[in-house]
Structures are given as C-alpha cells and as structure tokens.
C-alpha cells in the first residue's frame, strides 16, 4: 500500500516538472541557437579591411588588417604589428628621423634596390612614416621591391 501512495505523488511531480524542464531546455536551445547564428553572420559578413600588397619579382602577397569603415590607422603601427606576427617576416630600421623597411621574407635592400612604400600611388619616404601616415580601407597600399637611388646608404627621393 505504501507503494501506491508514492506513485501518485511521483506522477504529479513528473507532470509539473516535465513542462518546466521542457521550457528551460527549449529556452536554452533558442537562446544559444540565436547566438550561434549571430556569430556566424558576423563572421561571414565582409567587414572593411585595410589591404597591403607586397610586390617583388619573386612573389606577390596581400595582407588584410581588420578595420572599421570610418577608422584610420597609422601605417607604421600596422607594419610593426605584421612584423611582430612575422606575417610576412619584416625587418625595420628606425632612427631619430626615419623609418625604413630593410627586409621582407628574406629579400633585403641592396645598394641599387629596396622596399618602397606607396599609398594611393604616392611614394612615402621614411620621414613621412616617422611623422605618421594614416590609412583606411579605402586606401591602396603597396610595398614594392624596386630600383632605388641611395646616398650614403639612405634612399633618395
């Protein structure tokens, strides 16, 4: 007889808990399902990126740096970050007055050739880099290995 008393009680508990547990599970799935679809949409959406193209006779490579459409960043800081990540492997020279890329992926400056930075087809020298060059996703940035004139080791314009 004791068994019959507990069975109806268990049935009532199960009857009340089942919808509650079901509601919690469904709410949990809906919430995290929405979160997952939002995360997927943000990853697949094409956010603006600053594109930097490295060009030499041996290879051509484009690097993308995430940025917002209305945000500009200092080109020197972007290049330093790429250098820090070693993607591509870069080496800078920095003095009180200038900044210069000395090597990219093992291709070094020589007396007659070197890495030259262009922003929107305008050549950027080391002094401008030191003062700060702001770039945004709308800018065309190229770093080309090309013939340069040097005086005492420093490139001339």
């Amino acid at each position: 007889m004791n068994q019959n008393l507990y069975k109806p009680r268990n049935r009532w508990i199960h009857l009340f808990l089942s919808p509650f547990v079901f509601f919690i599970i469904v709410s949990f799935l809906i919430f995290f399902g929405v979160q997952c679809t939002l995360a997927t949409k943000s990853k697949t959406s094409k956010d603006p990126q600053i594109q930097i193209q490295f060009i030499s006779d041996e290879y051509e490579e484009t690097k993308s740096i995430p940025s917002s459409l209305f945000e500009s960043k200092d080109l020197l800081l972007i290049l330093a970050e790429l250098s820090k990540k070693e993607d591509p492997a870069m080496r800078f020279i920095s003095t009180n007055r200038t900044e210069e890329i000395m090597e990219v992926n093992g291709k070094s400056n020589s007396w007659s050739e070197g890495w030259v930075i262009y922003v929107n087809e305008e050549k950027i020298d080391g002094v401008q880099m030191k003062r700060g060059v702001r770039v945004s996703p709308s800018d065309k940035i190229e770093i080309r290995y090309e013939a340069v004139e040097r005086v005492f080791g420093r490139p001339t314009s």
Side-chain angles (χ1 to χ4, degrees):
M1 185 143 190
N2 286 341
Q3 290 176 352
N4 289 338
L5 288 177
Y6 289 113
K7 278 188 178 179
R9 242 190 218 165
N10 288 340
R11 286 183 190 159
W12 285 108
I13 290 172
H14 286 295
L15 247 170
F16 286 118
L17 282 182
S18 295
F20 182 72
V21 170
F22 177 76
F23 176 76
I24 290 174
I25 291 171
V26 169
S27 299
F28 179 80
L29 291 175
I30 290 173
F31 176 75
F32 283 104
V34 169
Q35 293 296 333
C36 291
T37 57
L38 289 176
T40 305
K41 285 181 183 177
S42 67
K43 286 181 183 178
T44 58
S45 68
K46 197 70 171 162
D47 292 332
Q49 296 183 341
I50 296 173
Q51 303 278 324
I52 300 177
Q53 193 170 19
F54 293 88
I55 303 168
S56 74
D57 55 351
E58 297 173 6
Y59 72 97
E60 188 171 319
E61 184 176 7
T62 302
K63 294 296 172 186
S64 300
I65 294 87
S67 176
S68 71
L69 189 58
F70 304 109
E71 179 184 17
S72 65
K73 294 184 176 186
D74 190 313
L75 181 57
L76 186 60
L77 294 176
I78 292 171
L79 293 174
E81 188 65 30
L82 287 175
S83 177
K84 182 179 175 183
K85 292 178 183 176
E86 295 184 357
D87 184 27
M90 276 192 284
R91 193 171 52 123
F92 290 101
I93 186 170
S94 178
T95 66
N96 294 351
R97 306 174 102 196
T98 188
E99 296 283 343
E100 185 179 358
I101 297 174
M102 297 300 290
E103 182 181 321
V104 177
N105 283 341
K107 189 154 184 92
S108 301
N109 290 352
S110 68
W111 284 102
S112 59
E113 295 179 306
W115 291 100
V116 181
I117 300 170
Y118 292 89
V119 176
N120 298 325
E121 301 297 329
E122 182 183 327
K123 190 176 189 177
I124 304 296
D125 66 12
V127 175
Q128 288 172 297
M129 287 287 290
K130 193 71 166 181
R131 290 183 185 147
V133 175
R134 305 293 291 181
V135 293
S136 65
S138 62
D139 292 316
K140 180 182 179 186
I141 306 162
E142 293 181 335
I143 300 175
R144 301 182 208 152
Y145 191 78
E146 59 186 33
V148 294
E149 294 180 25
R150 294 182 183 276
V151 175
F152 301 113
R154 288 187 57 199
T156 58
S157 297

